[in-house]
PDB file of all heavy atoms in Angstrom:
ATOM      1  N   ILE W 573     -49.432 -34.326 -50.160  1.00  0.00           N
ATOM      2  CA  ILE W 573     -49.519 -34.416 -51.614  1.00  0.00           C
ATOM      3  C   ILE W 573     -48.374 -33.630 -52.243  1.00  0.00           C
ATOM      4  O   ILE W 573     -48.242 -32.430 -52.023  1.00  0.00           O
ATOM      5  CB  ILE W 573     -50.880 -33.891 -52.108  1.00  0.00           C
ATOM      6  CG1 ILE W 573     -52.000 -34.738 -51.500  1.00  0.00           C
ATOM      7  CG2 ILE W 573     -50.938 -33.902 -53.627  1.00  0.00           C
ATOM      8  CD1 ILE W 573     -53.388 -34.216 -51.759  1.00  0.00           C
ATOM      9  N   PRO W 574     -47.540 -34.301 -53.025  1.00  0.00           N
ATOM     10  CA  PRO W 574     -46.443 -33.599 -53.688  1.00  0.00           C
ATOM     11  C   PRO W 574     -46.984 -32.580 -54.693  1.00  0.00           C
ATOM     12  O   PRO W 574     -47.991 -32.820 -55.359  1.00  0.00           O
ATOM     13  CB  PRO W 574     -45.683 -34.706 -54.423  1.00  0.00           C
ATOM     14  CG  PRO W 574     -46.146 -35.978 -53.830  1.00  0.00           C
ATOM     15  CD  PRO W 574     -47.523 -35.727 -53.312  1.00  0.00           C
ATOM     16  N   THR W 575     -46.304 -31.464 -54.785  1.00  0.00           N
ATOM     17  CA  THR W 575     -46.697 -30.440 -55.744  1.00  0.00           C
ATOM     18  C   THR W 575     -45.533 -30.154 -56.680  1.00  0.00           C
ATOM     19  O   THR W 575     -44.393 -30.538 -56.413  1.00  0.00           O
ATOM     20  CB  THR W 575     -47.127 -29.145 -55.037  1.00  0.00           C
ATOM     21  OG1 THR W 575     -46.029 -28.667 -54.267  1.00  0.00           O
ATOM     22  CG2 THR W 575     -48.336 -29.387 -54.141  1.00  0.00           C
ATOM     23  N   SER W 581     -40.470 -30.382 -63.206  1.00  0.00           N
ATOM     24  CA  SER W 581     -40.573 -30.917 -61.847  1.00  0.00           C
ATOM     25  C   SER W 581     -41.701 -31.948 -61.731  1.00  0.00           C
ATOM     26  O   SER W 581     -41.584 -32.912 -60.978  1.00  0.00           O
ATOM     27  CB  SER W 581     -40.735 -29.801 -60.812  1.00  0.00           C
ATOM     28  OG  SER W 581     -41.893 -29.062 -61.037  1.00  0.00           O
ATOM     29  N   GLN W 583     -42.555 -33.999 -64.160  1.00  0.00           N
ATOM     30  CA  GLN W 583     -42.008 -35.210 -64.775  1.00  0.00           C
ATOM     31  C   GLN W 583     -41.054 -35.925 -63.822  1.00  0.00           C
ATOM     32  O   GLN W 583     -41.068 -37.156 -63.724  1.00  0.00           O
ATOM     33  CB  GLN W 583     -41.283 -34.869 -66.078  1.00  0.00           C
ATOM     34  CG  GLN W 583     -40.855 -36.096 -66.871  1.00  0.00           C
ATOM     35  CD  GLN W 583     -42.034 -36.935 -67.308  1.00  0.00           C
ATOM     36  OE1 GLN W 583     -42.937 -36.436 -67.961  1.00  0.00           O
ATOM     37  NE2 GLN W 583     -42.036 -38.207 -66.952  1.00  0.00           N
ATOM     38  N   LYS W 584     -40.268 -35.169 -63.077  1.00  0.00           N
ATOM     39  CA  LYS W 584     -39.350 -35.780 -62.104  1.00  0.00           C
ATOM     40  C   LYS W 584     -40.118 -36.495 -61.000  1.00  0.00           C
ATOM     41  O   LYS W 584     -39.749 -37.604 -60.587  1.00  0.00           O
ATOM     42  CB  LYS W 584     -38.425 -34.727 -61.515  1.00  0.00           C
ATOM     43  CG  LYS W 584     -37.369 -34.266 -62.494  1.00  0.00           C
ATOM     44  CD  LYS W 584     -36.498 -33.187 -61.900  1.00  0.00           C
ATOM     45  CE  LYS W 584     -35.501 -32.706 -62.947  1.00  0.00           C
ATOM     46  NZ  LYS W 584     -34.684 -31.604 -62.473  1.00  0.00           N
ATOM     47  N   ASN W 591     -41.029 -45.250 -60.394  1.00  0.00           N
ATOM     48  CA  ASN W 591     -39.874 -46.136 -60.251  1.00  0.00           C
ATOM     49  C   ASN W 591     -39.593 -46.552 -58.815  1.00  0.00           C
ATOM     50  O   ASN W 591     -38.651 -47.312 -58.574  1.00  0.00           O
ATOM     51  CB  ASN W 591     -38.624 -45.463 -60.842  1.00  0.00           C
ATOM     52  CG  ASN W 591     -38.724 -45.329 -62.335  1.00  0.00           C
ATOM     53  OD1 ASN W 591     -39.076 -46.285 -63.020  1.00  0.00           O
ATOM     54  ND2 ASN W 591     -38.436 -44.149 -62.856  1.00  0.00           N
ATOM     55  N   ASN W 592     -40.376 -46.066 -57.859  1.00  0.00           N
ATOM     56  CA  ASN W 592     -40.164 -46.383 -56.437  1.00  0.00           C
ATOM     57  C   ASN W 592     -41.482 -46.827 -55.807  1.00  0.00           C
ATOM     58  O   ASN W 592     -42.192 -46.035 -55.194  1.00  0.00           O
ATOM     59  CB  ASN W 592     -39.603 -45.155 -55.710  1.00  0.00           C
ATOM     60  CG  ASN W 592     -38.212 -44.811 -56.177  1.00  0.00           C
ATOM     61  OD1 ASN W 592     -37.250 -45.436 -55.766  1.00  0.00           O
ATOM     62  ND2 ASN W 592     -38.110 -43.833 -57.062  1.00  0.00           N
ATOM     63  N   THR W 593     -41.757 -48.092 -55.957  1.00  0.00           N
ATOM     64  CA  THR W 593     -43.031 -48.644 -55.500  1.00  0.00           C
ATOM     65  C   THR W 593     -43.249 -48.437 -54.004  1.00  0.00           C
ATOM     66  O   THR W 593     -44.341 -48.067 -53.587  1.00  0.00           O
ATOM     67  CB  THR W 593     -43.110 -50.143 -55.844  1.00  0.00           C
ATOM     68  OG1 THR W 593     -42.930 -50.290 -57.255  1.00  0.00           O
ATOM     69  CG2 THR W 593     -44.459 -50.726 -55.447  1.00  0.00           C
ATOM     70  N   ARG W 596     -44.130 -44.853 -53.349  1.00  0.00           N
ATOM     71  CA  ARG W 596     -45.466 -44.586 -53.897  1.00  0.00           C
ATOM     72  C   ARG W 596     -46.553 -45.141 -52.993  1.00  0.00           C
ATOM     73  O   ARG W 596     -47.532 -44.458 -52.689  1.00  0.00           O
ATOM     74  CB  ARG W 596     -45.572 -45.178 -55.311  1.00  0.00           C
ATOM     75  CG  ARG W 596     -46.877 -44.866 -56.014  1.00  0.00           C
ATOM     76  CD  ARG W 596     -46.913 -45.378 -57.436  1.00  0.00           C
ATOM     77  NE  ARG W 596     -46.836 -46.822 -57.512  1.00  0.00           N
ATOM     78  CZ  ARG W 596     -45.838 -47.504 -58.096  1.00  0.00           C
ATOM     79  NH1 ARG W 596     -44.832 -46.884 -58.654  1.00  0.00           N
ATOM     80  NH2 ARG W 596     -45.857 -48.821 -58.115  1.00  0.00           N
ATOM     81  N   LYS W 600     -49.263 -43.018 -50.906  1.00  0.00           N
ATOM     82  CA  LYS W 600     -50.685 -43.328 -51.090  1.00  0.00           C
ATOM     83  C   LYS W 600     -51.377 -43.505 -49.748  1.00  0.00           C
ATOM     84  O   LYS W 600     -52.451 -42.932 -49.504  1.00  0.00           O
ATOM     85  CB  LYS W 600     -50.844 -44.600 -51.929  1.00  0.00           C
ATOM     86  CG  LYS W 600     -52.293 -45.041 -52.104  1.00  0.00           C
ATOM     87  CD  LYS W 600     -52.391 -46.427 -52.687  1.00  0.00           C
ATOM     88  CE  LYS W 600     -52.137 -47.432 -51.599  1.00  0.00           C
ATOM     89  NZ  LYS W 600     -52.393 -48.824 -51.954  1.00  0.00           N
ATOM     90  N   GLU W 606     -54.883 -39.021 -44.452  1.00  0.00           N
ATOM     91  CA  GLU W 606     -55.141 -37.588 -44.293  1.00  0.00           C
ATOM     92  C   GLU W 606     -56.534 -37.224 -44.809  1.00  0.00           C
ATOM     93  O   GLU W 606     -57.272 -36.473 -44.165  1.00  0.00           O
ATOM     94  CB  GLU W 606     -54.084 -36.776 -45.039  1.00  0.00           C
ATOM     95  CG  GLU W 606     -54.273 -35.289 -44.887  1.00  0.00           C
ATOM     96  CD  GLU W 606     -53.160 -34.488 -45.555  1.00  0.00           C
ATOM     97  OE1 GLU W 606     -52.111 -35.054 -45.883  1.00  0.00           O
ATOM     98  OE2 GLU W 606     -53.364 -33.279 -45.723  1.00  0.00           O
ATOM     99  N   ARG W 608     -59.173 -39.204 -45.114  1.00  0.00           N
ATOM    100  CA  ARG W 608     -60.202 -39.764 -44.222  1.00  0.00           C
ATOM    101  C   ARG W 608     -60.320 -38.984 -42.924  1.00  0.00           C
ATOM    102  O   ARG W 608     -61.400 -38.878 -42.350  1.00  0.00           O
ATOM    103  CB  ARG W 608     -59.893 -41.232 -43.932  1.00  0.00           C
ATOM    104  CG  ARG W 608     -60.165 -42.123 -45.103  1.00  0.00           C
ATOM    105  CD  ARG W 608     -59.880 -43.570 -44.779  1.00  0.00           C
ATOM    106  NE  ARG W 608     -60.188 -44.409 -45.926  1.00  0.00           N
ATOM    107  CZ  ARG W 608     -59.669 -45.598 -46.149  1.00  0.00           C
ATOM    108  NH1 ARG W 608     -58.807 -46.106 -45.275  1.00  0.00           N
ATOM    109  NH2 ARG W 608     -60.001 -46.291 -47.201  1.00  0.00           N
ATOM    110  N   LYS W 610     -59.472 -35.620 -42.470  1.00  0.00           N
ATOM    111  CA  LYS W 610     -59.908 -34.240 -42.682  1.00  0.00           C
ATOM    112  C   LYS W 610     -61.293 -34.113 -43.319  1.00  0.00           C
ATOM    113  O   LYS W 610     -61.996 -33.143 -43.057  1.00  0.00           O
ATOM    114  CB  LYS W 610     -58.916 -33.508 -43.591  1.00  0.00           C
ATOM    115  CG  LYS W 610     -57.624 -33.168 -42.927  1.00  0.00           C
ATOM    116  CD  LYS W 610     -56.766 -32.354 -43.870  1.00  0.00           C
ATOM    117  CE  LYS W 610     -55.503 -31.899 -43.197  1.00  0.00           C
ATOM    118  NZ  LYS W 610     -54.677 -31.099 -44.110  1.00  0.00           N
ATOM    119  N   TYR W 611     -61.660 -35.054 -44.158  1.00  0.00           N
ATOM    120  CA  TYR W 611     -62.871 -34.886 -44.963  1.00  0.00           C
ATOM    121  C   TYR W 611     -63.897 -35.981 -44.697  1.00  0.00           C
ATOM    122  O   TYR W 611     -64.447 -36.573 -45.616  1.00  0.00           O
ATOM    123  CB  TYR W 611     -62.504 -34.826 -46.446  1.00  0.00           C
ATOM    124  CG  TYR W 611     -61.514 -33.734 -46.734  1.00  0.00           C
ATOM    125  CD1 TYR W 611     -60.180 -34.031 -46.974  1.00  0.00           C
ATOM    126  CD2 TYR W 611     -61.900 -32.405 -46.710  1.00  0.00           C
ATOM    127  CE1 TYR W 611     -59.262 -33.017 -47.205  1.00  0.00           C
ATOM    128  CE2 TYR W 611     -60.982 -31.386 -46.943  1.00  0.00           C
ATOM    129  CZ  TYR W 611     -59.670 -31.712 -47.193  1.00  0.00           C
ATOM    130  OH  TYR W 611     -58.758 -30.712 -47.418  1.00  0.00           O
ATOM    131  N   MET W 616     -67.051 -32.379 -41.932  1.00  0.00           N
ATOM    132  CA  MET W 616     -67.815 -31.603 -42.913  1.00  0.00           C
ATOM    133  C   MET W 616     -69.063 -30.985 -42.274  1.00  0.00           C
ATOM    134  O   MET W 616     -69.429 -29.847 -42.581  1.00  0.00           O
ATOM    135  CB  MET W 616     -68.182 -32.471 -44.122  1.00  0.00           C
ATOM    136  CG  MET W 616     -66.973 -32.959 -44.910  1.00  0.00           C
ATOM    137  SD  MET W 616     -65.742 -31.695 -45.326  1.00  0.00           S
ATOM    138  CE  MET W 616     -66.629 -30.660 -46.429  1.00  0.00           C
ATOM    139  N   CYS W 617     -69.712 -31.710 -41.365  1.00  0.00           N
ATOM    140  CA  CYS W 617     -70.871 -31.151 -40.652  1.00  0.00           C
ATOM    141  C   CYS W 617     -70.446 -29.972 -39.766  1.00  0.00           C
ATOM    142  O   CYS W 617     -71.138 -28.952 -39.722  1.00  0.00           O
ATOM    143  CB  CYS W 617     -71.566 -32.222 -39.815  1.00  0.00           C
ATOM    144  SG  CYS W 617     -72.517 -33.378 -40.799  1.00  0.00           S
ATOM    145  N   ILE W 620     -69.949 -26.985 -42.054  1.00  0.00           N
ATOM    146  CA  ILE W 620     -71.230 -26.407 -42.493  1.00  0.00           C
ATOM    147  C   ILE W 620     -71.883 -25.625 -41.354  1.00  0.00           C
ATOM    148  O   ILE W 620     -72.372 -24.511 -41.547  1.00  0.00           O
ATOM    149  CB  ILE W 620     -72.156 -27.502 -43.039  1.00  0.00           C
ATOM    150  CG1 ILE W 620     -71.581 -28.047 -44.352  1.00  0.00           C
ATOM    151  CG2 ILE W 620     -73.576 -26.975 -43.242  1.00  0.00           C
ATOM    152  CD1 ILE W 620     -72.228 -29.321 -44.854  1.00  0.00           C
ATOM    153  N   LEU W 623     -70.165 -22.344 -40.827  1.00  0.00           N
ATOM    154  CA  LEU W 623     -70.550 -21.371 -41.850  1.00  0.00           C
ATOM    155  C   LEU W 623     -71.929 -20.787 -41.573  1.00  0.00           C
ATOM    156  O   LEU W 623     -72.138 -19.577 -41.722  1.00  0.00           O
ATOM    157  CB  LEU W 623     -70.530 -22.010 -43.240  1.00  0.00           C
ATOM    158  CG  LEU W 623     -69.164 -22.357 -43.813  1.00  0.00           C
ATOM    159  CD1 LEU W 623     -69.321 -22.971 -45.192  1.00  0.00           C
ATOM    160  CD2 LEU W 623     -68.257 -21.151 -43.859  1.00  0.00           C
ATOM    161  N   LYS W 626     -71.411 -18.839 -37.866  1.00  0.00           N
ATOM    162  CA  LYS W 626     -70.369 -17.819 -37.707  1.00  0.00           C
ATOM    163  C   LYS W 626     -69.961 -17.135 -39.013  1.00  0.00           C
ATOM    164  O   LYS W 626     -69.165 -16.204 -38.987  1.00  0.00           O
ATOM    165  CB  LYS W 626     -69.118 -18.459 -37.100  1.00  0.00           C
ATOM    166  CG  LYS W 626     -69.334 -19.158 -35.789  1.00  0.00           C
ATOM    167  CD  LYS W 626     -68.053 -19.864 -35.377  1.00  0.00           C
ATOM    168  CE  LYS W 626     -68.298 -20.819 -34.220  1.00  0.00           C
ATOM    169  NZ  LYS W 626     -67.133 -21.650 -33.963  1.00  0.00           N
ATOM    170  N   LEU W 631     -61.921 -24.751 -39.429  1.00  0.00           N
ATOM    171  CA  LEU W 631     -61.496 -26.011 -40.039  1.00  0.00           C
ATOM    172  C   LEU W 631     -60.894 -25.805 -41.419  1.00  0.00           C
ATOM    173  O   LEU W 631     -59.917 -26.448 -41.790  1.00  0.00           O
ATOM    174  CB  LEU W 631     -62.682 -26.982 -40.149  1.00  0.00           C
ATOM    175  CG  LEU W 631     -63.214 -27.556 -38.854  1.00  0.00           C
ATOM    176  CD1 LEU W 631     -64.509 -28.312 -39.095  1.00  0.00           C
ATOM    177  CD2 LEU W 631     -62.186 -28.478 -38.222  1.00  0.00           C
ATOM    178  N   GLN W 634     -59.245 -21.353 -45.537  1.00  0.00           N
ATOM    179  CA  GLN W 634     -58.920 -20.940 -46.898  1.00  0.00           C
ATOM    180  C   GLN W 634     -60.158 -20.748 -47.778  1.00  0.00           C
ATOM    181  O   GLN W 634     -60.079 -20.153 -48.835  1.00  0.00           O
ATOM    182  CB  GLN W 634     -57.957 -21.947 -47.556  1.00  0.00           C
ATOM    183  CG  GLN W 634     -58.560 -23.311 -47.848  1.00  0.00           C
ATOM    184  CD  GLN W 634     -58.471 -24.301 -46.706  1.00  0.00           C
ATOM    185  OE1 GLN W 634     -58.461 -23.935 -45.539  1.00  0.00           O
ATOM    186  NE2 GLN W 634     -58.408 -25.577 -47.025  1.00  0.00           N
ATOM    187  N   TYR W 637     -66.768 -17.537 -47.158  1.00  0.00           N
ATOM    188  CA  TYR W 637     -68.222 -17.660 -47.055  1.00  0.00           C
ATOM    189  C   TYR W 637     -68.834 -16.737 -48.101  1.00  0.00           C
ATOM    190  O   TYR W 637     -68.497 -15.572 -48.187  1.00  0.00           O
ATOM    191  CB  TYR W 637     -68.702 -17.253 -45.657  1.00  0.00           C
ATOM    192  CG  TYR W 637     -70.195 -17.245 -45.518  1.00  0.00           C
ATOM    193  CD1 TYR W 637     -70.887 -18.428 -45.326  1.00  0.00           C
ATOM    194  CD2 TYR W 637     -70.910 -16.061 -45.609  1.00  0.00           C
ATOM    195  CE1 TYR W 637     -72.266 -18.441 -45.205  1.00  0.00           C
ATOM    196  CE2 TYR W 637     -72.290 -16.062 -45.489  1.00  0.00           C
ATOM    197  CZ  TYR W 637     -72.960 -17.255 -45.299  1.00  0.00           C
ATOM    198  OH  TYR W 637     -74.330 -17.255 -45.176  1.00  0.00           O
TER     199      TYR W 637
END
Side-chain angles (χ1 to χ4, degrees):
I573 299 172
T575 60
S581 61
Q583 188 62 56
K584 287 178 183 176
N591 292 313
N592 293 281
T593 303
R596 185 176 64 243
K600 177 192 79 171
E606 181 176 345
R608 287 181 178 157
K610 287 185 175 181
Y611 304 105
M616 296 312 294
C617 286
I620 292 168
L623 290 180
K626 304 174 192 171
L631 290 171
Q634 68 272 29
Y637 175 79

